[in-house]
Amino acid sequence: MVNAAGKFGPYNQPGPAPTTSAIGVGQARALPLGGQSGSDLVRSRIALRIRLRVVRPGDRLPDAGVLAEELGISEITVRRALEGMCQDGLLDRRRGRAGGTFVAQGWDTVVALTHDAEEAASLDAFHLLLECGLVAHGAGEVPAERLDGLRALVEDMDRTDDPAHLAELETRFHLDLAEVLGGPGIREFAADLLGRLCLLLPAPRPEAVRERNGCHAELLTELGRGATDRAVRAVKAHQRSRHD
Ligand SMILES: [Zn+2]
């Protein structure tokens, strides 16, 4: 299904703002389900690729046609979004034979201007619900070998001291978790949330990632044994460590 907001449309149709949730994780201001315009989608997916270090400041982005195809939106929307990002100083356009659209060297500095802790908290709360739901949904049915890739990421996080690599692995873990438990469509859904969070929050500090990594390890252990309650508890403990 293709619509203006992305490949997996129905969840991000514009709708009324949700009110504070009865179970205490919602935010009155939250619009996690609100529409992400095509332009916002381009921004958040580029931000996600930078967090994942698929592209880095100074790198050339794929052509607009390629991005349009990948994101399931029109090329004209992508062109307009890239133009806007150039005006904001996030991207640079260079003409000529070696030209194209490049990630600005000052990406981090410019993106820091869009940080918004309040909006981030509402998206984060929604991400927590997604993961709790996925864990409950998948508990007891996840073949052990499907967790191997996630275990390898946890080991990599324990081994590295590089802040950018830690932030990359942290994000990758949550994307892969969404895919293992929910399939490729849910990975896209998580990518929408995490990409938007990349624009709203600075990359996590290395100490924070290391602390969360204990929760990752626990989650995988409990998922492996089919202990739903304990696995959900590990997801919640991870969330708490984000905000301490
Ligand atoms: Zn994590």
Side-chain angles (χ1 to χ4, degrees):
M1 171 164 208
V2 173
N3 74 5
K7 278 185 188 166
F8 300 93
Y11 60 83
N12 52 13
Q13 292 295 322
T19 52
T20 303
S21 151
I23 51 175
V25 294
Q27 307 276 329
R29 185 175 171 262
L31 261 178
L33 298 167
Q36 187 172 211
S37 70
S39 172
D40 289 340
L41 183 73
V42 173
R43 268 176 200 260
S44 66
R45 288 308 173 101
I46 290 175
L48 186 63
R49 285 177 195 198
I50 291 169
R51 176 66 55 83
L52 295 172
R53 301 201 299 176
V54 175
V55 286
R56 304 183 190 213
D59 284 353
R60 187 180 184 280
L61 290 175
D63 291 333
V66 174
L67 288 171
E69 177 81 32
E70 287 172 2
L71 298 175
I73 58 178
S74 73
E75 192 173 328
I76 185 77
T77 302
V78 172
R79 285 188 189 286
R80 280 199 202 114
L82 296 179
E83 187 56 45
M85 291 175 78
C86 287
Q87 283 166 11
D88 292 344
L90 291 164
L91 305 177
D92 291 324
R93 181 146 298 155
R94 290 179 218 158
R95 302 194 186 279
R97 190 180 269 274
T101 306
F102 295 78
V103 179
Q105 291 292 354
W107 170 274
D108 286 335
T109 311
V110 178
V111 102
L113 301 173
T114 66
H115 287 167
D116 180 339
E118 202 180 332
E119 194 182 342
S122 70
L123 280 180
D124 212 29
F126 188 72
H127 185 243
L128 173 68
L129 276 184
L130 174 69
E131 286 197 339
C132 288
L134 286 172
V135 163
H137 181 70
E141 295 173 14
V142 188
E145 67 274 12
R146 297 216 56 203
L147 299 175
D148 288 350
L150 290 165
R151 287 204 184 89
L153 286 172
V154 168
E155 285 168 21
D156 287 349
M157 272 185 265
D158 273 338
R159 272 196 294 261
T160 182
D161 287 321
D162 174 14
H165 192 209
L166 275 168
E168 172 203 335
L169 293 169
E170 159 69 7
T171 301
R172 214 173 271 289
F173 179 89
H174 292 278
L175 289 172
D176 289 359
L177 179 70
E179 180 155 2
V180 165
L181 297 176
I186 298 295
R187 183 192 180 92
E188 289 296 307
F189 186 85
D192 280 358
L193 291 172
L194 296 173
R196 288 163 80 179
L197 282 168
C198 289
L199 294 168
L200 296 170
L201 285 179
R205 288 172 299 110
E207 314 83 72
V209 176
R210 227 165 267 120
E211 189 186 335
R212 289 176 211 168
N213 204 30
C215 304
H216 299 153
E218 201 179 319
L219 169 61
L220 297 180
T221 303
E222 302 303 350
L223 266 180
R225 3 175 127 117
T228 310
D229 288 2
R230 285 163 183 268
V232 166
R233 228 174 287 154
V235 171
K236 289 183 175 176
H238 177 285
Q239 165 89 357
R240 278 193 297 276
S241 75
R242 293 182 78 119
H243 297 298
D244 289 346

